[in-house]
Amino acid sequence: EPQAFHFNQALRACERSSCWEQCIQLLQDLRRLRKAPSMLQYHSSISAMGHESQWSLACHLLGEAERGGMAARPETIEAVLNACLLARRPQLAWSLLPKALARGLTPDPSDLVSSLYHGITWQEVLRLLDDTSHPWLQAS
């Protein structure tokens, strides 16, 4: 019977090669063996999805992990943010920022704004920059 180590290694390989479909299959295999995926296993899957703009699946898995009582790692939330930005879903990425900040992720504002600019109008970027609920955007 495969052990967690084997699943971890397989999921990491899938993450590195952006094979998100295989990640889904491996997570299903884990469940069939009556094993709950670990946060590391979720992270590898979410990261693979992030590389391929699979924002909906990445968001779904992040929610599934959190509903299972797991705290997402900052780099896992960053992978979801990247998936949203690559898929031109900047508003969704922006809505995830409070969660990312609460977990210790400190995005580079210029990178985020540059990415956001490609998916939304400049008026929306200015409105988002004017939002005082994002203290990391405030000048030092």
Side-chain angles (χ1 to χ4, degrees), residues 108-121:
D108 180 342
S110 62
D111 289 345
L112 184 61
V113 170
S114 174
S115 298
L116 287 170
Y117 178 75
H118 296 290
I120 59 177
T121 67

Side-chain angles (χ1 to χ4, degrees), residues 1 15 20 23-24 27 39-40 46-47 90 92 100 110 122 125 127:
E1 177 179 316
E15 174 188 2
W20 62 271
C23 289
I24 291 172
L27 292 176
M39 194 62 230
L40 176 65
I46 289 168
S47 183
L92 182 56
S110 62
W122 65 269
V125 170
R127 182 182 54 75

Side-chain angles (χ1 to χ4, degrees), residues 79-110:
V80 176
L81 286 168
N82 288 335
C84 293
L85 291 172
L86 284 171
R88 299 205 180 274
R89 301 267 185 206
Q91 291 87 352
L92 182 56
W94 198 269
S95 73
L96 291 168
L97 276 177
K99 183 185 294 196
L101 295 170
R103 296 287 197 283
L105 181 68
T106 53
D108 180 342
S110 62

Side-chain angles (χ1 to χ4, degrees), residues 1-4 7 26-36:
E1 177 179 316
Q3 300 297 315
F7 281 99
L26 287 164
L27 292 176
Q28 289 172 346
D29 291 346
L30 265 171
R31 291 181 187 105
R32 270 194 291 278
L33 292 170
R34 299 184 192 275
K35 297 180 186 235

Side-chain angles (χ1 to χ4, degrees), residues 135-140:
W136 58 273
L137 286 173
Q138 304 304 314
S140 311

